[in-house]
Amino acid sequence: MERRLYLISVAIVVAGGLFFACAHLLTRQDSIIFSHEKHAKEEGIGCEECHEEGAQKAIPKEEKCLECHEKAEGKCAQCHKNPKNPQTWQEARLQGLRFSHETHKEVECQKCHKDVLGAKRPSDTETPRMLEVCMSCHRKDFRSIDCKKCHEDMIENPARPTRLFSHDVDFEKRHGLLAKGDERVCAHCHREEFCGMCHSTLDVLPPDIRFGEKVEAGLIHRHDFITRHSIEARQDPNKCMECHRVEQCSSCHQKRKAGGHEPDFMNPSSPNFHGRQARADILACAACHDAGAQSNCVRCHRVGGAGGSPHPAGFKGDKSHGACRACHQ
Amino acid sequence: MSRGQVLARLKGLFSTRKERGLNMRMKIAVVFFFLACPVVSVAQDEPVRFYGSTTTIFRFLEVLDPNDPSSKVYQIPAYEYITLGSDNVGVQGLSVFLRGFGKLEVIDPVEGAKFDGDVLFYNLGYRTKNGRFRAKVGRQFIYGGAGNNVLLDGVMVQGRPWTDIDLSAYGGFVTWPSLEFRSSNYAFGARAAYDRWDYGRIGVSLGLERDGGDIARANIGLDFAYRQFRWLDLSGYVLFDTLDRLMPVQETKVAVAYIADRYFRFALDYGLFNPVGRLPKTSIFTVFTNSRYHAVGGEASVRGDGPLSVSCFGRYFRYDENGENGYQIGIKPVLSFGYRQKYMVGLDVQRVRGYENAYTLVRGFSSLRPWKKLELTLDYADYLYDEKVQGYDRSHVAGFTLGYQVVKGGRIQGDVVVTVNPEFRQQVAGLVKFVYEFSTLSR
């Protein structure tokens, strides 16, 4: 049963992926063949001759091309990569940006569209590197985090400054470090809800269940985490404690009577001896036993107890430490 | 009402968690207040934004009864998440936010039918028109500065009196479930920073938490960042434990990322951690020897103009106490095709070695959007353990998701997940999810 389930699952994933990849490759998409190098550099055609001055949507219509090029049968492949399935050029969307070519008409086209004269494909000039280009004039606004000068609404229409805060494949591992001290920057695009999706310690449903559709995301608790949580918790315990309190471990361990002691737990010569285990991973002890003096080591490790005094020879304490009050009222 | 009665009532209100929580009337009042706020909005320069979401999840679980491992039982917990918020409500710059959930278990032969729920966030914020000053009251995350994240029912203020100077302070009660709180468990802190955020920053912060009349945590932290526009990003923090006379480093982490171009980035990080430092000082376990450990890691990602992108990472752990080692290493190639990653197929291979056991993960995943409104995902993960966990050396999970956008912002999704694990706690789980999100502007 187990082996069959395994084989079926692998087959579904592999077959599904291959099917859609092949389907995509077989239905080749159309794109426009256009060289700025040939038109603007070699032929000397000015920018405004195709791109209407001040137009927000600067992609010329087909009629503009037909002013020079003949629309005749058999010549479609001159401009369309897949003439059997010709499509309109996709407009580059400036979603949520307060940008107008009209107000920037004094600026030379090449200042933003740097390599346009040497571009052999439209995609080479599709979008200027916005942050880099805009910052050459708008750095002061950038420094004062006055984003609204250029961005209408970053939360609803994030412009994704992915280079500076590279939201790349490993971003999930580094985002906490970046957020320390830069939370105002995060808040320009993300509401608190966004953090709370994963970080709320009061939530009961793990993120990987709530977002099962996000298969590519590096969610920490992905898949059957309960089985391997002890391996990861012992490898990097601080990572757990970034979100979870120690009490959360005990709530489950005590309820399910899981994670009990080894039979040779009291044998000093055993590698499982509790003293050795405690020194290696005291948090594992605290997960269940940090509920007052009667629940922990002090039951035995006390003067007159089986474990003797917990204090080393010559110990001098003023009992002012919070932990002392666990035993010394 | 006499002074004594007033004091007694106040004492009751701020009583400890064990004694009592907020009563039902107060819970309703909090919810009603946040729902009523958008109604009182008045005309202003900026438009008012209302936003929210509702997520309803029905899960269907086939689990084993812990009291009778030979029998199968079924559970159908239902979850409802609701978010409501508004910006520029009433006054320009004023915002309200509320998020909560409810869980209902109708069929649970093991523990019986029960209802659970909580308010995850509720807060009222204000931001000045130029964005230089802001304040927030209510349940919120405090994550600025070197200190650890803390979820507080409290107040936070932040301001930039000068362009490059960032000052902030917070204070409030540490959050406990069900709107309950311990009046003696509170935290406060402050941070001052020189912050030229596109070049870097250096900040000093202080955080303190008290629990039951004793100081549970007290840290001084230093956070810093250095950026060379577009290609270098260095950031880190150092946290000192001020409750120890020698003020040792409780933990530190530094990461440097090199972003060569849009095709390649590389990051290195180092961390020194002391898990005991995260325990409250009131815990008896803090008297034990500090079992510090070091982590050194690197991550790289490569993506080209073509469909392939690859990321890989490696991290080495060294434990001071017993001289043991651990590591994790992984590679994740992903193939994406079509407009906006219409089809995506990926592989994730990882090897994780703790100081007791290790496992190897082999995972394949795929996301497919054959039509704009339809999304399918396939996911399979196989874990191979070096040493048997509860008698099993392997566990695996297979998942299938089908989602369809019914209306703009509204989505219905069905999941089936088959899990075979050593705990044998759960075999088959289904999930039906309805999501509806909205965001509107009105003047």
Side-chain angles (χ1 to χ4, degrees):
Chain A
M1 171 64 188
E2 198 177 318
R3 182 170 290 276
R4 190 182 296 170
L5 193 70
Y6 169 68
L7 290 171
I8 290 170
S9 306
V10 171
I12 288 173
V13 171
V14 173
L18 286 175
F19 173 77
F20 284 101
C22 293
H24 171 74
L25 291 172
L26 288 172
T27 55
R28 205 177 64 167
Q29 302 291 303
D30 182 36
S31 61
I32 303 296
I33 301 166
F34 181 84
S35 167
H36 276 92
E37 187 183 39
K38 192 175 175 185
H39 287 77
K41 199 174 177 182
E42 293 174 12
E43 302 287 337
I45 301 170
C47 304
E48 292 83 11
E49 287 186 43
C50 297
H51 303 282
E52 289 172 34
E53 193 180 341
Q56 176 69 17
K57 291 183 177 179
I59 308 293
K61 299 284 181 193
E62 190 183 29
E63 294 84 59
K64 185 62 78 177
C65 306
L66 295 177
E67 286 177 11
C68 301
H69 296 277
E70 191 187 352
K71 190 175 186 177
E73 197 149 326
K75 285 195 169 181
C76 304
Q78 196 177 350
C79 299
H80 291 277
K81 206 166 186 176
N82 184 8
K84 288 178 183 171
N85 182 26
Q87 287 177 0
T88 310
W89 182 252
Q90 298 264 5
E91 290 281 356
R93 293 197 298 172
L94 292 172
Q95 199 177 28
L97 274 184
R98 295 179 204 268
F99 179 83
S100 159
H101 278 93
E102 179 74 38
T103 55
H104 290 79
K105 64 184 177 187
E106 301 299 322
V107 183
E108 265 189 52
C109 303
Q110 282 89 333
K111 184 158 188 182
C112 300
H113 303 276
K114 272 182 181 167
D115 304 321
V116 67
L117 293 179
K120 289 191 170 67
R121 294 176 302 172
S123 58
D124 294 345
T125 60
E126 196 175 347
T127 313
R129 294 184 171 188
M130 301 304 286
L131 268 181
E132 187 180 88
V133 169
C134 304
M135 283 318 105
S136 60
C137 297
H138 291 281
R139 188 149 202 127
K140 196 178 172 189
D141 305 318
F142 189 67
R143 266 189 63 200
S144 58
I145 322 185
D146 189 5
C147 306
K148 286 195 170 177
K149 197 157 191 171
C150 301
H151 298 274
E152 279 178 352
D153 182 350
M154 293 190 65
I155 289 175
E156 299 302 323
N157 299 301
R160 302 184 195 284
T162 50
R163 297 294 155 69
L164 192 61
F165 301 99
S166 184
H167 289 41
D168 217 325
V169 279
D170 64 337
F171 187 73
E172 173 269 323
K173 289 173 186 160
R174 298 183 302 120
H175 78 282
L177 188 61
L178 296 172
K180 284 181 187 295
D182 274 341
E183 80 278 17
R184 261 166 61 114
V185 179
C186 305
H188 270 87
C189 299
H190 303 290
R191 295 186 194 279
E192 198 156 345
E193 176 190 19
F194 186 78
C195 312
M197 292 283 187
C198 298
H199 280 285
S200 179
T201 52
L202 304 177
D203 209 338
V204 289
L205 206 55
D208 62 316
I209 293 174
R210 256 176 297 144
F211 307 110
E213 70 276 18
K214 294 188 176 178
V215 286
E216 76 284 6
L219 297 172
I220 292 169
H221 299 96
R222 193 173 278 290
H223 302 122
D224 189 29
F225 186 72
I226 193 167
T227 299
R228 64 183 193 283
H229 79 285
S230 66
I231 299 174
E232 297 196 13
R234 292 192 169 200
Q235 185 190 55
D236 194 357
N238 263 47
K239 197 159 187 69
C240 306
M241 297 185 78
E242 280 173 11
C243 291
H244 300 288
R245 288 163 172 265
V246 174
E247 292 90 334
Q248 281 180 280
C249 311
S250 59
S251 67
C252 200
H253 276 249
Q254 285 176 353
K255 193 166 133 189
R256 299 186 54 206
K257 298 183 175 66
H261 304 145
E262 297 293 331
D264 50 357
F265 185 71
M266 299 297 286
N267 180 0
S269 61
S270 163
N272 295 322
F273 179 57
H274 71 277
R276 193 169 290 119
Q277 296 273 343
R279 276 188 286 274
D281 186 10
I282 192 61
L283 291 183
C285 309
C288 291
H289 295 284
D290 201 8
Q294 289 309 307
S295 70
N296 57 43
C297 330
V298 189
R299 285 174 66 186
C300 298
H301 290 277
R302 58 187 165 81
V303 178
S309 170
H311 303 304
F315 177 82
K316 286 179 183 174
D318 57 6
K319 298 182 186 176
S320 63
H321 194 284
C324 303
R325 294 185 198 163
C327 306
H328 303 283
Q329 297 298 327
Chain B
M1 191 182 287
S2 69
R3 186 171 172 272
Q5 283 175 313
V6 172
L7 286 173
R9 181 160 288 191
L10 282 173
K11 195 180 173 187
L13 187 65
F14 290 94
S15 59
T16 63
R17 178 177 175 252
K18 284 172 185 171
E19 287 163 12
R20 58 170 285 180
L22 295 180
N23 61 34
M24 185 56 73
R25 273 184 296 177
M26 286 195 73
K27 288 180 186 178
I28 292 169
V30 167
V31 172
F32 184 76
F33 172 75
F34 282 93
L35 291 176
C37 272
V39 179
V40 297
S41 56
V42 293
Q44 54 199 307
D45 294 348
E46 294 277 327
V48 182
R49 178 174 292 283
F50 301 106
Y51 62 93
S53 68
T54 168
T55 306
T56 310
I57 298 173
F58 295 99
R59 293 191 77 202
F60 308 93
L61 306 172
E62 179 196 83
V63 298
L64 294 179
D65 184 348
N67 300 317
D68 181 9
S70 63
S71 70
K72 288 176 181 174
V73 294
Y74 297 93
Q75 294 176 346
I76 310 178
Y79 304 83
E80 177 65 38
Y81 288 86
I82 292 177
T83 300
L84 285 171
S86 185
D87 296 331
N88 299 316
V89 51
V91 182
Q92 186 169 317
L94 191 69
S95 59
V96 291
F97 181 73
L98 174 71
R99 179 171 166 79
F101 79 93
K103 180 192 174 189
L104 178 66
E105 286 204 23
V106 185
I107 305 172
D108 186 349
V110 182
E111 296 181 9
K114 62 187 177 204
F115 176 76
D116 194 6
D118 218 325
V119 179
L120 300 172
F121 294 99
Y122 61 94
N123 54 57
L124 189 68
Y126 177 72
R127 180 188 288 263
T128 56
K129 195 174 178 181
N130 60 13
R132 284 193 160 195
F133 296 92
R134 67 185 183 115
K136 199 183 273 186
V137 184
R139 182 166 292 174
Q140 57 192 301
F141 264 125
I142 305 292
Y143 59 96
N148 305 318
N149 302 338
V150 56
L151 188 61
L152 282 186
D153 291 308
V155 185
M156 185 278 301
V157 288
Q158 187 175 31
R160 280 188 173 241
W162 299 278
T163 303
D164 298 328
I165 302 294
D166 192 310
L167 304 172
S168 62
Y170 67 87
F173 297 102
V174 174
T175 300
W176 291 87
S178 303
L179 283 176
E180 294 176 354
F181 60 92
R182 295 173 173 176
S183 59
S184 57
N185 188 191
Y186 56 91
F188 57 90
R191 177 174 177 267
Y194 175 72
D195 186 358
R196 290 190 63 173
W197 71 279
D198 53 332
Y199 288 109
R201 66 167 197 276
I202 183 157
V204 180
S205 55
L206 169 74
L208 196 139
E209 182 185 329
R210 288 184 74 91
D211 189 6
D214 292 311
I215 298 173
R217 291 181 183 86
N219 299 114
I220 286 179
L222 189 71
D223 61 278
F224 52 89
Y226 175 73
R227 295 192 180 101
Q228 277 291 337
F229 196 57
R230 292 182 63 83
W231 64 272
L232 181 77
D233 191 323
L234 182 146
S235 53
Y237 67 91
V238 190
L239 200 61
F240 299 95
D241 182 0
T242 58
L243 292 181
D244 193 303
R245 283 179 194 132
L246 298 172
M247 279 202 17
V249 173
Q250 183 179 305
E251 66 182 67
T252 181
K253 193 170 182 183
V254 185
V256 58
Y258 170 67
I259 304 136
D261 50 37
R262 63 178 170 153
Y263 303 119
F264 178 74
R265 67 181 308 284
F266 177 68
L268 281 173
D269 62 74
Y270 166 76
L272 167 66
F273 306 102
N274 177 8
V276 173
R278 294 245 176 160
L279 288 173
K281 292 292 177 188
T282 45
S283 167
I284 187 73
F285 292 96
T286 56
V287 302
F288 282 79
T289 311
N290 291 341
S291 55
R292 300 196 310 181
Y293 66 99
H294 308 257
V296 184
E299 290 151 359
S301 65
V302 186
R303 67 175 69 218
D305 285 330
L308 180 68
S309 65
V310 181
S311 62
C312 54
F313 73 94
R315 187 155 287 106
Y316 169 77
F317 295 88
R318 174 78 181 174
Y319 307 95
D320 276 358
E321 177 63 27
N322 47 17
E324 294 281 346
N325 307 307
Y327 66 86
Q328 47 184 231
I329 188 165
I331 185 163
K332 191 175 176 182
V334 177
L335 279 168
S336 305
F337 304 95
Y339 182 61
R340 293 192 175 182
Q341 299 188 336
K342 205 169 176 181
Y343 312 113
M344 187 260 295
V345 183
L347 187 69
D348 188 0
V349 181
Q350 288 184 32
R351 170 85 181 150
V352 175
R353 167 95 236 165
Y355 63 77
E356 277 192 342
N357 199 351
Y359 70 82
T360 304
L361 161 68
V362 182
R363 176 173 172 248
F365 54 91
S366 175
S367 166
L368 320 160
R369 274 183 290 160
W371 298 282
K372 193 180 173 185
K373 292 183 175 180
L374 184 70
E375 185 179 37
L376 296 97
T377 67
L378 299 163
D379 191 1
Y380 178 80
D382 205 356
Y383 294 89
L384 305 164
Y385 302 103
D386 283 18
E387 291 173 29
K388 289 184 176 180
V389 177
Q390 299 194 22
Y392 290 81
D393 58 4
R394 184 174 177 188
S395 68
H396 36 265
V397 185
F400 172 72
T401 301
L402 179 73
Y404 185 75
Q405 187 185 328
V406 186
V407 290
K408 191 184 176 189
R411 189 171 186 276
I412 182 168
Q413 182 186 312
D415 292 8
V416 177
V417 177
V418 181
T419 309
V420 180
N421 66 14
E423 301 254 324
F424 231 71
R425 172 86 175 136
Q426 179 184 311
Q427 286 183 299
V428 182
L431 181 149
V432 177
K433 182 163 84 170
F434 304 95
V435 184
Y436 180 71
E437 294 171 338
F438 70 92
S439 179
T440 59
L441 280 174
S442 68
R443 286 198 178 269

